[in-house]
């Protein structure tokens, strides 16, 4: 779980939110010129943006209403020092002091970023970051920030995402200032930026009016392993801190921008690879760059999978077909946050903050006046849950800043991307709280306890069947049900099983890959805290294809099985006849009046004298209590709901040979448990073939479970108030909740799921424990 003092915040930048005022005294930033030259997707500029400079008080009051504890914002260098290195704009000082004080009045702790890309245009005209003098310019700017704001602000961040303003701004030219410089020039810019960072750290501490905390916020895509194999993990680590990008994207690199700051040196691999492009790098430079920090920020949005290839080199694994993306086509990869922050901490051993994480959605105000953004909630839940996993394993993460609070001007994309948890109508400046903001409020108030990693998602749990090949099996599980069976001797399909002899695996969703047995043990809350009621998963559901007669058999009750079968359950079972050949029958009960007569009939093989046969047809329900002699005969296909037990005592098996020898009989134990006199068939068999549409028909209600048949024709719903419910579709197809289901699908509805909506034309066999 997250530490009690974990910082839950939101983040934004000055240029993207503040807007301008004709008399604000601010200078032009590089983005003003870049956008004016036509580099905006929608043609709009940031002259108003979110009008935050005039509306910050109401915005911070809204943060308070949403329980937000911290705000990572930036001061605009161009607003505070219009010419970049001279006179201070006192109007800007007043604005930012009022903003900080208003934050604090609303219980919001300020985290001030010095540079979030608002470089004064006048400095760019002198070369910008390519000019070595910028180290002193930025140091002077940091001095002013410390002098003007450190009495009311404790936390400072020097640079935001140097990978971006070096690479996208000065190599590809896709963002401000729009330069397409040579490799040597971009390496000089990067080196100057890191030296400027170090100089800023010195001056922030030197001129601060009280002790402060200083950090740094780089970014990058995070390499993460394609599996938990040690070789894939180590290969992902190698790639994350390595140099695999082509030169035209060299800045998209972790180690080049973080090793010098934290470790005091550039990575050796990079020094060799980039040797021909590098500016002079001195020991004094490295001492300056590696000024001690109090924390490290990291902006993490997505990543890429890495495996160790057969040649020992990294394999950049392609994402599965149809993998999710955000509104701006970034991949959704929550594992990157777990592995990224874990590997970063392993390398740098410094407290971390996630200084940005979030997603762009195509959200807008709906007809009900609200903004519904479930994709963002799902994204944030997955990512913050991944972060908690890393924290639980010992990674020192002090806080998380969601990007962003308000929909804003997304740089060169204009207003086409919406990252905020607050919707902004940019024509009226009306704020509308999105569903994700209310969700995040609960995350903050519970310190993450409402995350899926702690609460477990209440989704339908679809299961993979387990097949059993037997001497009496057939192929109808394939021909009638479409299952991929192992052979034409497949007699049993365990569709819901947590039994040690064949546990179903979860086929999709949050629990994919776990067996039902593992899931029951690890997540008992999904089963009504089932482990407190049952010492194991209580139900086993099968589809049985009897191509030939099954053995004549009997099952023990719980008490006998506990004593004689190593604590196993006994077996109470209920059959629903799915199909039966003309003239089909089952063995049900026996004719012996006493135990002596029973033993005599068995010993002498007088099976016609002993057993009762009963005709059955499609739709019949047969209840088999422990102690009842029974057998399924050839030509019958049925669904079986039973206790989670595989204990069967064979009385007779027609002298069949399996694997070269007769199958084992259990006569002595059978004699111990057979009920005398036998129960009558009339009280244990009924027909439920044609119930009315949209009804629930009881098949069996015993002390162990309830089994029902649900007939859906159109729409129906019910409240699932059981510990859990198993479902198997035996005819037709339809929709359960939002999941499309068909004949042969089996799944579990977990505890607390609530209302179950069913649509379509289908028949379902369902069961729930007592």
């Amino acid at each position: 779980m997250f530490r009690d003092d974990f910082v839950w915040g939101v983040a934004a930048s000055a240029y993207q939110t503040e807007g301008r005022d004709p008399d604000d005294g601010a200078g032009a930033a590089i983005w003003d010129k870049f956008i004016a030259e036509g580099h905006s997707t929608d043609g709009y500029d940031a002259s108003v943006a979110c009008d935050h400079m005039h509306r910050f008080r109401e915005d911070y009051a809204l943060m308070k209403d949403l329980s937000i504890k911290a705000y990572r914002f930036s001061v605009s260098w161009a607003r505070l020092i219009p010419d970049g290195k001279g006179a201070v704009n006192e109007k800007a000082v007043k604005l930012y002091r009022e903003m900080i004080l208003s934050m604090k009045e609303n219980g919001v702790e300020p985290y001030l970023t010095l540079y979030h890309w608002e470089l004064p245009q006048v400095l760019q005209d002198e070369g910008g970051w390519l000019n070595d003098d910028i180290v002193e310019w930025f140091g002077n700017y940091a001095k002013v920030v410390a002098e003007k704001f450190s009495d009311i602000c404790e936390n400072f961040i020097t640079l935001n995402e140097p990978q971006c303003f070096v690479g996208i701004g000065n190599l590809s030219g896709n963002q401000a200032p729009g330069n397409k410089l040579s490799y040597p020039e971009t390496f000089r810019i990067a080196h100057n930026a890191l030296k400027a960072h170090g100089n800023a750290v010195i001056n922030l501490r030197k001129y601060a009016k009280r002790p402060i905390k200083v950090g740094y916020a780089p970014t990058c895509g995070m390499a993460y392993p394609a599996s938990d194999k040690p070789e894939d993990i180590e290969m992902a680590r190698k790639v994350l801190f390595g140099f695999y990008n082509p030169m035209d994207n060299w800045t998209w690199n972790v180690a080049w921008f973080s090793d010098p700051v934290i470790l005091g040196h550039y990575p050796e691999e990079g020094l060799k690879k980039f040797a021909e492009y590098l500016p002079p790098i001195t020991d004094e430079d490295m001492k300056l760059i590696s000024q001690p920090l109090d924390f490290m920020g990291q902006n993490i949005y997505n990543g890429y999978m890495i495996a160790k290839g057969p040649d020992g080199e990294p394999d950049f694994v392609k994402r599965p077909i149809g993998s999710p993306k955000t509104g701006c086509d970034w991949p959704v990869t929550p594992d990157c946050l777990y592995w990224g922050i874990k590997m970063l901490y392993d390398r740098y051993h410094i407290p971390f903050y996630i200084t940005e994480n979030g997603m762009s959605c195509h959200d807008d105000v709906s007809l009900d006046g609200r903004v519904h953004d479930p994709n963002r909630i799902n994204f944030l839940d997955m990512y913050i849950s991944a972060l908690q996993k890393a924290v639980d394993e010992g990674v020192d993460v002090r806080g998380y800043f969601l990007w962003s609070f308000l929909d804003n001007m997304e740089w060169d994309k204009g207003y086409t991307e919406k990252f905020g948890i607050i919707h902004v109508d940019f024509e009226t400046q009306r704020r509308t709280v999105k569903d994700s903001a209310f969700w995040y409020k609960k995350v903050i108030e519970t310190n993450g306890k409402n995350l899926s990693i702690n609460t477990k998602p209440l989704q339908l749990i679809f299961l993979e069947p387990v097949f059993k090949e037997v001497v009496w099996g057939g192929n109808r599980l394939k021909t009638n049900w479409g299952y991929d069976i192992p052979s034409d001797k497949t007699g049993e399909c365990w569709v819901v099983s947590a039994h040690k002899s064949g546990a179903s695996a979860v086929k999709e969703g949050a629990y994919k890959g776990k067996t039902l047995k593992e899931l029951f043990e690890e997540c008992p809350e999904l089963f009504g805290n089932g482990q407190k009621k049952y010492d194991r998963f209580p139900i086993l559901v099968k589809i049985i294809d009897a191509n030939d007669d099954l053995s004549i058999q009997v099952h023990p009750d719980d008490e006998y099985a506990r004593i004689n079968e190593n604590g196993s359950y006994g077996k109470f079972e209920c059959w629903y006849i799915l199909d039966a050949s003309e003239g089909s029958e089952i063995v049900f009960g026996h004719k012996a009046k006493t135990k002596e007569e029973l033993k005599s009939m068995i010993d002498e093989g007088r099976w016609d004298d002993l057993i009762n046969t009963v005709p059955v047809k499609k739709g019949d329900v047969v209840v088999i209590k422990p102690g009842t002699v029974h057998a399924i005969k050839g030509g019958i296909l049925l669904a079986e709901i039973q206790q989670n037990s595989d204990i069967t005592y064979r009385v007779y098996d027609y002298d069949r040979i399996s694997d070269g020898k007769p199958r084992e009989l259990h006569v002595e134990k059978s004699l111990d448990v057979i009920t005398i006199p036998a129960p009558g068939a009339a009280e244990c068999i009924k027909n439920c073939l044609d119930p009315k549409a949209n009804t629930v028909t009881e098949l069996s209600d015993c002390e162990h479970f309830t089994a029902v048949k649900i007939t859906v024709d159109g729409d129906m719903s019910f409240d699932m108030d059981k510990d859990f419910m198993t479902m198997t579709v035996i005819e037709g197809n339809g929709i359960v909740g939002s999941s499309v289901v068909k004949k042969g699908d089996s799944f579990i509805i977990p505890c607390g799921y609530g209302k179950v909506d069913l649509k379509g034309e289908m028949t379902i066999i369902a069961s729930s424990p007592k």
Side-chain angles (χ1 to χ4, degrees):
M1 291 295 292
F2 294 102
R3 48 193 290 160
D4 291 341
D5 61 350
F6 192 80
V7 176
W8 294 101
V10 291
S13 80
Y15 185 79
Q16 293 175 273
T17 59
E18 286 178 357
R20 293 288 300 274
D21 188 290
D23 299 319
D24 61 13
I30 54 174
W31 277 93
D32 293 315
K33 180 180 179 182
F34 186 74
I35 296 299
E37 291 173 343
H39 301 294
S40 171
T41 298
D42 58 9
Y44 292 103
D45 62 25
S47 57
V48 177
C50 304
D51 197 29
H52 183 64
M53 68 177 294
H54 299 115
R55 300 171 186 268
F56 63 84
R57 289 182 178 84
E58 63 190 72
D59 287 338
Y60 301 152
L62 183 54
M63 289 184 189
K64 179 181 180 180
D65 290 341
L66 294 170
S67 300
I68 291 166
K69 303 302 182 187
Y71 182 38
R72 179 186 167 229
F73 71 109
S74 72
V75 165
S76 169
W77 189 355
R79 183 185 292 279
L80 186 64
I81 307 175
D83 70 356
K85 52 188 175 181
V88 174
N89 177 10
E90 293 301 328
K91 290 182 179 180
V93 174
K94 181 176 183 293
L95 172 65
Y96 287 126
R97 286 189 67 86
E98 288 179 354
M99 288 171 63
I100 292 168
L101 290 171
S102 180
M103 289 180 217
K104 296 171 79 73
E105 287 169 4
N106 284 281
V108 177
E109 187 67 23
Y111 282 69
L112 189 157
T113 301
L114 274 72
Y115 188 70
H116 203 133
W117 311 352
E118 300 99 350
L119 182 68
Q121 181 60 46
V122 292
L123 296 187
Q124 182 60 44
D125 293 341
E126 295 186 45
W129 289 101
L130 190 57
N131 188 326
D132 294 348
D133 291 340
I134 200 167
V135 177
E136 293 305 316
W137 299 340
F138 194 66
N140 176 66
Y141 169 48
K143 172 179 178 290
V144 173
V145 169
E147 290 174 338
K148 300 299 183 181
F149 309 120
S150 64
D151 60 323
I152 54 175
C153 182
E154 181 182 3
N155 300 286
F156 296 85
I157 295 168
T158 56
L159 302 178
N160 180 78
E161 297 184 345
Q163 290 94 336
C164 293
F165 71 76
V166 177
I168 308 177
N170 289 283
L171 182 57
S172 71
N174 292 327
Q175 291 188 350
N179 291 332
K180 295 182 179 181
L181 302 179
S182 67
Y183 296 142
E185 288 172 314
T186 54
F187 278 100
R188 179 174 290 278
I189 285 175
H191 192 54
N192 283 342
L194 294 182
K195 288 193 293 181
H197 152 81
N199 204 25
V201 175
I202 291 172
N203 281 354
L204 284 169
R205 297 195 193 280
K206 180 178 179 179
Y207 294 101
K209 298 180 179 179
R210 59 171 177 165
I212 61 172
K213 297 176 182 177
V214 183
Y216 164 65
T219 189
C220 212
M222 295 289 110
Y224 63 94
S227 77
D228 290 334
K229 296 177 181 177
E231 57 268 31
D232 287 348
I233 294 172
E234 290 313 306
M235 187 57 71
R237 190 189 309 274
K238 180 180 179 181
V239 171
L240 179 62
F241 299 110
F243 294 83
Y244 289 88
N245 278 337
M247 284 304 300
D248 61 3
N249 193 31
W250 79 260
T251 68
W252 203 239
N253 187 277
V254 172
W256 193 260
F257 289 93
S258 292
D259 279 18
V261 172
I262 306 300
L263 304 181
H265 57 80
Y266 283 105
E268 191 64 30
E269 182 184 357
L271 289 172
K272 292 178 180 178
K273 180 174 181 177
F274 302 142
E276 63 182 296
Y277 308 120
L278 297 179
I281 299 172
T282 68
D283 290 343
E284 290 75 16
D285 290 346
M286 300 316 301
K287 183 178 179 180
L288 177 62
I289 291 170
S290 60
Q291 291 297 305
L293 294 179
D294 300 290
F295 64 89
M296 184 80 162
Q298 188 73 32
N299 298 353
I300 299 178
Y301 288 93
N302 53 67
Y304 49 97
M305 284 189 291
I306 297 294
K308 183 177 181 180
D311 59 354
E313 291 299 311
D315 179 10
F316 289 76
V317 180
K318 187 176 181 180
R319 299 180 71 228
I321 186 170
S323 294
K325 292 184 178 181
T326 69
C328 58
D329 279 343
W330 293 355
V332 177
T333 55
D335 284 349
C336 77
L337 190 50
Y338 165 73
W339 285 108
I341 199 66
K342 188 177 176 70
M343 292 178 179
L344 288 165
Y345 184 68
D346 286 346
R347 187 176 182 92
Y348 298 122
H349 303 289
I350 186 173
F352 270 88
Y353 287 79
I354 299 301
T355 36
E356 287 183 26
N357 173 249
M359 77 173 293
S360 170
C361 285
H362 297 302
D363 46 36
D364 210 343
V365 180
S366 298
L367 293 176
D368 61 2
R370 305 186 65 171
V371 180
H372 304 293
D373 55 343
N375 287 3
R376 180 175 286 111
I377 293 173
N378 191 51
F379 176 100
L380 293 173
D381 179 89
M382 291 190 295
Y383 273 73
I384 302 175
S385 289
L387 180 63
Q388 184 191 305
K389 182 181 177 184
V391 169
D392 289 346
E393 294 177 6
V395 178
D396 187 358
V397 180
R398 304 290 176 87
Y400 171 90
F401 290 89
L402 191 161
W403 186 275
S404 180
F405 185 60
L406 302 171
D407 287 340
N408 55 48
M409 201 266 191
E410 187 54 33
W411 306 112
D412 57 303
K413 300 300 188 293
Y415 298 88
T416 63
E417 304 291 352
K418 299 180 179 181
F419 278 86
I421 57 172
I422 306 297
H423 177 273
V424 178
D425 182 326
F426 293 103
E427 290 191 351
T428 66
Q429 290 298 323
R430 180 174 178 79
R431 273 68 163 148
T432 302
V433 179
K434 301 181 185 182
D435 289 354
S436 58
F438 294 117
W439 175 87
Y440 190 47
K441 180 177 189 288
K442 292 181 180 178
V443 173
I444 296 169
E445 292 171 346
T446 65
N447 208 26
K449 289 182 180 178
N450 67 322
L451 295 169
S452 61
I453 191 174
N454 302 314
T455 59
K456 309 305 178 188
L458 294 179
Q459 55 187 226
L460 301 184
I461 303 167
F462 284 86
L463 301 171
E464 295 279 6
V466 177
F467 299 103
K468 300 289 182 178
E469 295 174 274
V470 287
V471 296
W472 45 262
N475 66 1
R476 284 187 293 178
L477 292 171
K478 177 180 181 179
T479 58
N480 289 24
W481 286 68
Y483 290 130
D484 185 16
I485 61 175
S487 76
D488 286 348
K489 284 291 185 180
T490 304
E492 296 188 359
C493 174
W494 295 15
V495 293
V496 180
S497 171
H499 197 275
K500 62 182 180 181
S501 297
S504 306
V506 181
K507 67 163 64 173
E508 60 189 45
Y511 312 108
K512 181 179 179 179
K514 290 185 181 294
T515 67
L516 181 54
K517 183 177 185 295
E518 291 169 340
L519 190 61
F520 181 75
E521 292 170 352
E522 296 173 14
C523 306
E525 60 270 34
L526 297 175
F527 307 94
N529 289 318
Q531 286 179 296
K532 295 181 179 179
K533 296 182 180 181
Y534 331 101
D535 60 358
R536 72 209 77 176
F537 190 83
I539 295 173
L540 177 58
V541 182
K542 304 176 182 177
I543 306 296
I544 295 178
D545 175 16
N547 189 53
D548 198 353
D549 295 351
L550 276 68
S551 62
I552 298 171
Q553 58 192 251
V554 67
H555 305 311
D557 61 16
D558 286 349
E559 181 66 15
Y560 188 92
R562 182 183 63 80
I563 296 170
N564 294 280
E565 301 294 347
N566 298 315
S568 172
Y569 282 165
K571 193 191 290 188
F572 186 111
E573 59 189 37
C574 171
W575 301 343
Y576 180 81
I577 308 298
L578 299 167
D579 196 13
S581 302
E582 186 72 26
S584 290
E585 57 184 15
I586 61 171
V587 172
F588 187 92
H590 62 86
K591 302 171 186 174
K593 305 300 183 185
T594 65
K595 185 170 184 178
E596 291 74 18
E597 185 181 14
L598 175 67
K599 185 176 185 305
S600 174
M601 288 178 172
I602 292 174
D603 290 344
E604 296 170 10
R606 291 188 286 127
W607 306 113
D608 290 341
D609 294 337
L610 174 64
I611 61 173
N612 263 335
T613 58
V614 179
V616 291
K617 59 184 180 300
K618 183 176 180 178
D620 279 351
V621 179
V622 184
V623 173
I624 307 292
K625 298 178 182 179
T628 302
V629 175
H630 63 279
I632 306 169
K633 295 180 77 66
I636 294 174
L637 189 69
L638 61 80
E640 178 176 287
I641 304 97
Q642 61 167 80
Q643 288 178 270
N644 184 12
S645 170
D646 199 30
I647 302 299
T648 294
Y649 297 151
R650 295 191 194 97
V651 181
Y652 178 56
D653 194 45
Y654 314 103
D655 301 320
R656 283 184 291 209
I657 301 297
S658 178
D659 296 327
K661 56 185 177 180
R663 294 211 297 171
E664 182 183 6
L665 301 180
H666 315 90
V667 175
E668 293 303 318
K669 289 182 177 180
S670 297
L671 288 170
D672 285 345
V673 303
I674 291 174
T675 301
I676 303 172
E683 64 187 78
C684 298
I685 300 177
K686 62 182 178 181
N687 188 267
C688 297
L689 179 61
D690 295 312
K692 294 180 180 179
N694 298 323
T695 57
V696 178
T697 304
E698 181 183 291
L699 304 181
S700 176
D701 185 19
C702 67
E703 60 183 295
H704 307 291
F705 58 79
T706 299
V708 299
K709 176 181 176 181
I710 303 173
T711 305
V712 183
D713 186 2
D715 294 4
M716 69 175 292
S717 63
F718 65 92
D719 291 321
M720 209 292 287
D721 57 358
K722 311 294 185 182
D723 285 343
F724 65 89
M725 179 176 283
T726 77
M727 284 192 170
T728 298
V729 182
I730 62 169
E731 289 288 350
N733 55 72
I735 305 168
V736 179
S738 297
S739 298
V740 178
V741 297
K742 65 183 185 307
K743 180 179 178 179
D745 286 341
S746 292
F747 50 92
I748 292 173
I749 301 175
C751 183
Y753 186 87
K755 185 180 179 183
V756 180
D757 293 312
L758 303 103
K759 299 176 176 62
E761 295 183 11
M762 58 183 171
T763 305
I764 295 171
I765 296 294
S767 64
S768 55
K770 284 295 189 70

